[in-house]
């Protein structure tokens, strides 16, 4: 799409909440949505009241029996229909989504938009998840006569799922939850991130047109933590599927304990990227560079801790420094731009504080660190070399275009450094021999490990070890995540 074709945004457009099949005005007013690229207000999002959050959960609960009893083939057919409608119409949301996320136009078009329909498409084919256990003989006992014991194991929906998501990929994060949850027969209440909920509201309008019964899909929005917290506290909600920071994940776990919420937690990351002495350094640098500035580093799976063999350390630092200069920072609408803004002024300050802390702790600032002279919330690609494992720039997730480099003295030491983290989402190994990379990768405490590549497998289980989360989704694992196992057992004589 040419930029000139982007639909003009109207700041006065009215956005509503979907509760029980009705599009309703927010009871607590609206709040401003700011374009991180220009700092201009581009729209006003609905501020749901606490009672509207409760209404949405109650509506989802009321819709549950009918939806749960709808055959999976029919549920999946509606997901396919939703995917068709999304694919047809999503292009019309390009300007809105780009404006509220601040993502570059390239990232908006290539990553943010197409993945939305794809996530629905993945679940348009019903899957038989039932299993029968092999029978075994049992002797008569006080519980019953002897015979052959059998069991049929089926997957039931969990119930009402609150889908609470982060700001970085608003449509992808939500659709990756909603599609498998609906396929399994759950009903959902969507609570997108406060910073960029507008395009998601429009996607829900599209999804609704596919023909989901009232109350199966609901969406509420709000400017702060209150709407999400009210959902987590609601006795009508059975499961919280959360994508966001580990700090908020901890709060949700605590608050959800009282009502025994089932949890899928997709949390923060601090990806280790191990480079062995014999690796193809240029391939590794190319891979790191491809994600360094992507969406301004606001990517949970980014390789932000580069752990390189001491014999290649100077070469890698020099090449990373050189490549940083090629990552053009600029207007998000310019097709040459690689690094656009981060989401808010507050987040930019947070990233800048981290960089300053790294320098204060003794890291070498190879490049970046300065604030680009642009109107939006920009951070230049930043490389911190000579880092130590206990520096905050190494231990904490920065969620900006900042890479920290450390030397290692061999595979065991590399694994030790990689595992010296409370995160474990996505790590990477680059080695000449894939067998060696596999050997190292299996020793890294991380839900996913990329072998000589940063590309994830779309059907592989996705999720984190340690503080990076609980549970797995994607593909068949997504259906497992949104279900309860039930065993129907018998003894036949
Ligand atoms: P965040 O934790 O600040 O917010 C995420 C969501 O939680 C928002 O919708 C927010 O309104 C809501 N929330 C805040 N307080 C709440 C509470 N007390 N109860 C219920 N909900 C509450 O995260 P963010 O800044 O939007 O996103 C960045 C984080 O998300 C990073 O840590 C990043 O690594 C993580 N992330 C993880 C994945 C993954 O798949 N593992 C994917 C994308 C982003």
């Amino acid at each position: 799409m040419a930029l000139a074709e982007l639909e003009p945004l109207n700041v006065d457009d009215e956005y509503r909440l979907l509760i029980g099949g009705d599009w309703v005005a927010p009871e607590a007013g609206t709040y401003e949505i700011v374009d991180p690229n220009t700092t201009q207000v581009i729209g006003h999002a609905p501020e749901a009241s606490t009672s509207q959050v409760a209404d949405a959960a109650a509506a989802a609960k009321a819709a549950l029996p009918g939806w749960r009893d709808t055959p999976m083939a029919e549920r999946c057919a509606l997901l396919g229909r939703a995917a068709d409608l999304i694919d047809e119409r999503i292009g019309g949301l390009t300007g809105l989504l780009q404006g509220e996320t601040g993502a570059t136009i390239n990232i908006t078009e290539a990553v943010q938009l197409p993945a939305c329909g794809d996530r629905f498409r993945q679940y348009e084919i019903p899957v038989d998840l039932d299993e029968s256990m092999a029978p075994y003989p049992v002797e008569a006992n006080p519980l019953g006569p002897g015979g052959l014991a059998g069991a049929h194991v089926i997957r039931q929906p969990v119930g009402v799922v609150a889908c609470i998501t982060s700001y970085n990929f608003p449509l992808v994060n939500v659709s990756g939850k909603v599609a498998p949850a609906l396929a399994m027969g759950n009903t959902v209440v969507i609570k997108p991130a406060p910073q960029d909920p507008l395009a998601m509201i429009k996607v829900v309008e599209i999804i609704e047109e596919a023909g989901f019964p009232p109350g199966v899909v609901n969406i509420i929005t709000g400017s702060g933590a209150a709407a999400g917290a009210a959902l987590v506290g609601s006795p009508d909600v059975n499961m919280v599927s959360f994508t966001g920071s580990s700090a908020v994940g901890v709060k949700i776990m605590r608050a959800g304990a009282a009502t025994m919420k089932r949890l899928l937690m997709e949390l923060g990351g601090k990806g280790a990227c191990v480079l062995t002495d014999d690796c193809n350094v240029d391939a590794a640098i190319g891979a790191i560079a491809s994600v360094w500035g992507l969406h301004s580093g606001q990517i949970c799976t980014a390789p932000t801790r580069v752990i390189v063999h001491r014999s290649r350390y100077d070469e890698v630092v020099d090449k990373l420094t050189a490549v940083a200069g090629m990552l053009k920072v600029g207007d998000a609408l310019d097709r040459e731009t690689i690094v656009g803004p981060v989401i808010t002024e507050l987040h930019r300050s947070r990233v800048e504080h981290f960089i300053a802390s790294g320098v204060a702790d003794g890291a070498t600032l190879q490049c970046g660190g300065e604030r680009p002279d642009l109107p939006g919330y920009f951070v230049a690609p930043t490389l911190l070399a000579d880092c130590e494992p206990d520096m905050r720039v190494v231990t904490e997730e920065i969620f900006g275009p900042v890479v920290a480099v450390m030397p290692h003295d061999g595979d065991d030491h590399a694994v030790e450094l990689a595992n010296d983290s409370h995160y474990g989402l996505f790590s990477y190994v680059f080695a000449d021999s894939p067998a060696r990379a596999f050997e190292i990768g299996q020793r890294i405490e991380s839900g996913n490990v990329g072998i000589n590549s940063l590309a994830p497998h779309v059907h592989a289980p996705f999720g984190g070890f340690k503080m990076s989360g609980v549970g797995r989704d994607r593909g068949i694992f997504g259906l497992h995540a949104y279900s309860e196992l039930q065993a129907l057992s018998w003894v036949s004589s």
Side-chain angles (χ1 to χ4, degrees), residues 33-272:
I33 299 297
V34 173
D35 178 347
N37 188 43
T38 62
T39 75
Q40 301 300 304
V41 174
I42 58 156
H44 297 89
E47 187 81 72
S49 67
T50 311
S51 70
Q52 285 181 308
V53 177
D55 289 348
K61 185 178 179 183
L64 185 61
W67 184 244
R68 184 183 51 207
D69 294 344
T70 302
M72 190 182 199
E74 284 177 39
R75 297 196 300 255
C76 291
L78 278 181
L79 291 169
R81 171 92 185 114
D84 291 345
L85 290 173
I86 291 170
D87 287 350
E88 260 169 57
R89 310 244 297 270
I90 196 93
L93 300 179
T94 308
L96 182 61
L97 184 65
Q98 187 286 316
E100 62 180 345
T101 58
T104 63
I105 189 69
N106 293 334
I107 290 296
T108 307
E109 288 177 354
V111 186
Q112 300 261 16
L113 293 169
C116 179
D118 284 353
R119 296 290 159 109
F120 280 83
R121 185 81 62 208
Q122 276 185 21
Y123 296 99
E124 69 179 344
I125 309 279
V127 185
D128 183 2
L129 297 166
D130 296 357
E131 284 179 48
S132 284
M133 313 284 301
Y136 67 96
V138 287
E139 299 289 344
N141 64 51
L143 295 177
L148 270 185
H152 193 56
V153 181
I154 61 176
R155 288 189 176 267
Q156 297 278 14
V158 183
V160 174
V161 181
C163 302
I164 303 176
T165 53
S166 61
Y167 71 82
N168 58 339
F169 287 92
L171 305 189
V172 185
N173 291 337
V174 174
S175 47
K177 296 180 183 306
V178 167
L182 294 179
M184 270 319 300
N186 303 278
T187 56
V188 298
V189 181
I190 299 164
K191 210 301 284 173
Q195 298 92 338
D196 48 17
L198 301 182
M200 193 59 227
I201 293 175
K202 292 284 169 199
V203 169
V204 171
E205 285 178 19
I206 298 172
I207 293 172
E208 205 206 2
E209 274 181 45
F212 291 94
V216 169
V217 178
N218 307 273
I219 182 165
I220 49 127
T221 58
S223 59
L231 271 182
V232 175
S234 166
D236 288 341
V237 171
N238 304 99
M239 173 173 175
V240 179
S241 177
F242 175 70
T243 297
S245 61
S246 301
V248 172
V250 168
K251 285 187 194 171
I252 290 176
M253 254 189 157
R254 279 207 189 99
T259 43
M260 203 54 76
K261 294 282 186 280
R262 274 57 181 154
L263 298 171
L264 176 62
M265 307 292 248
E266 308 277 1
L267 307 178
K270 187 79 188 179

Side-chain angles (χ1 to χ4, degrees), residues 33 48 167 203 214 263 329 368 382 391 395 454 487:
I33 299 297
Y167 71 82
V203 169
L263 298 171
V329 184
T382 299
M391 290 180 182
T395 59
L454 260 55

